[in-house]
Amino acid sequence: YAESETSLEHNAGGQESHVFSGLHRVQHQDSFFEPIPLHGIESRLSKDITRYMQALKSQLKKNEPRRLLAVEGITKIVEALWPRAQIKMYGSHETKLCLPSSDMDFVISLPAVHKNAPATAPGDLEGRNAIIETNQKVLARRLKSEYWLDQRSIKVIERTAVPVIKVSTKDSRSRVVQLDLSFDAKEHHGLEALTMIRHILEQLPMVRPLVLVLKQFLLDRGLLTAYTGGLSSYCLFLMVARYCQEQAPSWNDCGSLLMGLLDFYGNFFDPRITGISVRTRQYFFRSQEAQHSQQQFPEAQGWNTPHQNQFPDLTKRNSFSSKPHRHQPLHRQVSFQSTQTNTSQFKSGKFDPIWVEDPLNPGNNVGRNAFRIFQVQRAFSDAHRALVASLEWDINSEFGDDGEYPLLKCLLQNEDVFFAIDDPIHLQRP
């Protein structure tokens, strides 16, 4: 098995207690005990993640015909309205970071003649109908005439940086395909983000399984929707990528990384004073965000090269032997910095609940709407504690390495996703 940071500590009484490290690469100097493999305990958690990934891939493959029909239908509708328009896909389905319930994202590029701003009032010699509608409303009206789309699901959201039309296909609950349609604009960075995410996944392959497990974890708890205060998929991806940037490039144990990430963001990270930057590969003080956003960093070094962090090391551990720490409430004062920061110094985005820098636009905070970030952290902390308890139970159980007890079950609230994702009977449940 791969070398794990779950290790055995022999105390004075000769009994064994189990110590789990948070896997923060900058903390290795305080690893008092040498890492010893625990007969594949961490590997079984990784095996559960692998099983989940295989089941997810199988379900997505089953859904592929319906998605292809949706792409074909949307293409015909758009080309009927604007024959020279280009329709491209971006988002999680293109990066293979999607769940069966994930939306399909489309961006529509129109010729320059259609990009003029619509008139707000008719001319003196024109009638009421001369007012030009927005492209979103024109497309939404056409969508309402399509029999294969659910008319009640059509929503035009225009009061955002990038207006979007949300619609879903008309089908049974388990077979519905969600569609998000937007138009290309200066503020639209979907296609640029697609290229960046692919580069990161190529250099940090462990990001993919972690993101997929955490997306299902947050979705089951209603914390994966940005406009309801949860984390957006893009924000979650950047948080996971930043954590993986701190790990050794050769580290490939998904289970250990998952536990370390839950421990770090759930028990140590303080979003009020610490920002996250994948672009510069570092965490930074939010009070210095203005200077940080102007910092240049050579991208040629790649996304997986750790940056020399400016924060002191973390020494606190949640471990098998530290009973009080495992069940105590989450303390929000624990953070990267050892001294108090004057919150009056905060300027840019000082009221944002968490600061996650957009690598494509350093001044943009993709976590500005995540006002339920403390609920997300509490969920991460509880999940880490449940995993630690599951590991402790598993090592003392009668099952051996081939035991059937699934360690990942304590994370996924919807067990059907993990155990019966391929079972059509489960998929038809209301």
Side-chain angles (χ1 to χ4, degrees):
Y1 296 99
E3 187 177 61
S4 170
E5 287 225 327
T6 303
S7 58
L8 291 178
E9 172 189 0
H10 296 269
N11 56 28
Q15 297 178 343
E16 294 178 343
S17 60
H18 313 290
V19 179
F20 175 75
S21 167
L23 294 180
H24 312 308
R25 205 169 70 88
V26 295
Q27 300 174 10
H28 283 187
Q29 70 276 7
D30 67 345
S31 298
F32 189 76
F33 304 99
E34 290 295 328
I36 302 174
L38 272 186
H39 305 292
I41 294 300
E42 284 288 316
S43 296
R44 283 208 295 275
L45 177 56
S46 297
K47 183 186 295 186
D48 284 354
I49 296 175
T50 301
R51 286 181 55 208
Y52 171 75
M53 294 286 290
Q54 293 173 346
L56 189 61
K57 180 180 179 180
S58 176
Q59 179 60 36
L60 291 173
K61 186 176 181 180
K62 289 184 177 181
N63 295 343
E64 188 64 19
R66 295 195 296 274
R67 291 192 167 89
L68 291 177
L69 288 175
V71 172
E72 182 180 354
I74 290 297
T75 301
K76 289 181 178 179
I77 294 172
V78 173
E79 289 181 347
L81 290 172
W82 303 285
R84 292 190 295 165
Q86 295 182 354
I87 304 96
K88 298 180 181 179
M89 286 189 63
Y90 68 99
S92 60
H93 281 276
E94 288 297 297
T95 58
K96 307 304 180 185
L97 292 173
C98 58
L99 301 176
S101 58
S102 296
D103 299 343
M104 297 183 69
D105 300 300
F106 297 85
V107 58
I108 303 170
S109 299
L110 299 178
V113 66
H114 295 292
K115 294 184 179 181
N116 298 329
T120 57
D124 295 336
L125 301 179
E126 297 174 317
R128 180 185 301 272
N129 294 334
I131 300 179
I132 303 176
E133 291 183 303
T134 62
N135 293 324
Q136 287 79 15
K137 291 182 178 179
V138 171
L139 180 56
R141 188 172 66 250
R142 179 59 183 268
L143 294 175
K144 291 180 181 179
S145 64
E146 296 295 323
Y147 70 93
W148 57 280
L149 295 175
D150 185 0
Q151 314 304 318
R152 298 170 298 177
S153 68
I154 300 176
K155 297 179 181 178
V156 182
I157 305 174
E158 292 188 299
R159 297 181 179 273
T160 57
V162 179
V164 63
I165 302 174
K166 302 183 75 68
V167 63
S168 61
T169 59
K170 188 183 297 183
D171 210 330
S172 61
R173 180 176 177 182
S174 62
R175 296 168 58 88
V176 166
V177 179
Q178 307 285 344
L179 310 173
D180 284 357
L181 310 174
S182 57
F183 288 85
D184 192 17
K186 182 177 61 176
E187 300 81 9
H188 200 299
H189 300 291
L191 296 178
E192 299 174 53
L194 180 62
T195 303
M196 179 200 68
I197 291 173
R198 284 173 173 168
H199 287 166
I200 293 177
L201 290 175
E202 181 180 352
Q203 298 184 24
L204 298 170
M206 301 307 295
V207 170
R208 188 186 304 278
L210 296 180
V211 168
L212 288 171
V213 170
L214 291 175
K215 284 182 72 171
Q216 186 65 59
F217 172 79
L218 294 176
L219 178 65
D220 291 340
R221 290 155 181 78
L223 295 171
L224 193 61
T225 307
Y227 60 81
T228 60
L231 295 179
S232 66
S233 297
Y234 187 40
C235 183
L236 175 64
F237 171 82
L238 294 176
M239 291 174 65
V240 174
R242 177 68 202 101
Y243 178 81
C244 289
Q245 284 177 332
E246 287 294 319
Q247 313 310 316
S250 59
W251 193 266
N252 59 0
D253 190 292
C254 307
S256 297
L257 287 174
L258 177 61
M259 293 191 70
L261 185 146
L262 293 171
D263 185 26
F264 172 64
Y265 282 119
N267 298 318
F268 296 104
F269 181 75
D270 190 339
R272 298 171 301 180
I273 59 178
T274 307
I276 299 172
S277 174
V278 173
R279 176 181 63 93
T280 59
R281 300 184 283 280
Q282 63 180 326
Y283 301 99
F284 62 91
F285 292 112
R286 288 185 58 176
S287 58
Q288 302 172 359
E289 186 278 324
Q291 301 92 312
H292 176 81
S293 62
Q294 299 175 1
Q295 180 179 353
Q296 300 296 324
F297 203 82
E299 296 184 2
Q301 296 184 17
W303 298 101
N304 58 346
T305 306
H307 185 274
Q308 185 64 34
N309 213 317
Q310 58 177 313
F311 296 99
D313 298 334
L314 297 174
T315 56
K316 181 180 175 182
R317 287 286 189 273
N318 279 7
S319 66
F320 285 110
S321 59
S322 303
K323 298 293 183 182
H325 292 302
R326 287 176 54 194
H327 304 288
Q328 68 182 3
L330 181 63
H331 297 292
R332 295 299 173 192
Q333 68 269 24
V334 179
S335 66
F336 276 109
Q337 64 175 20
S338 58
T339 59
Q340 295 293 330
T341 301
N342 184 5
T343 56
S344 63
Q345 297 177 353
F346 293 0
K347 292 181 175 60
S348 177
K350 66 178 181 179
F351 295 115
D352 291 347
I354 182 175
W355 189 280
V356 181
E357 181 192 71
D358 185 353
L360 301 175
N361 183 11
N364 179 39
N365 176 19
V366 299
R368 61 182 176 275
N369 295 325
F371 56 84
R372 296 170 67 190
I373 183 61
F374 289 139
Q375 289 180 257
V376 173
Q377 287 192 278
R378 173 63 67 183
F380 283 172
S381 178
D382 291 345
H384 174 260
R385 187 165 58 248
L387 274 175
V388 170
S390 296
L391 287 169
E392 186 178 42
W393 180 91
D394 196 71
I395 190 63
N396 295 320
S397 70
E398 59 183 359
F399 296 111
D401 288 343
D402 296 327
E404 296 298 327
Y405 183 77
L407 300 176
L408 194 60
K409 183 178 69 173
C410 61
L411 260 71
L412 300 182
Q413 179 175 319
N414 183 3
E415 296 182 10
D416 292 346
V417 176
F418 182 55
F419 295 105
I421 196 169
D422 293 327
D423 187 353
I425 297 177
H426 289 81
L427 294 176
Q428 294 174 4
R429 286 182 179 177

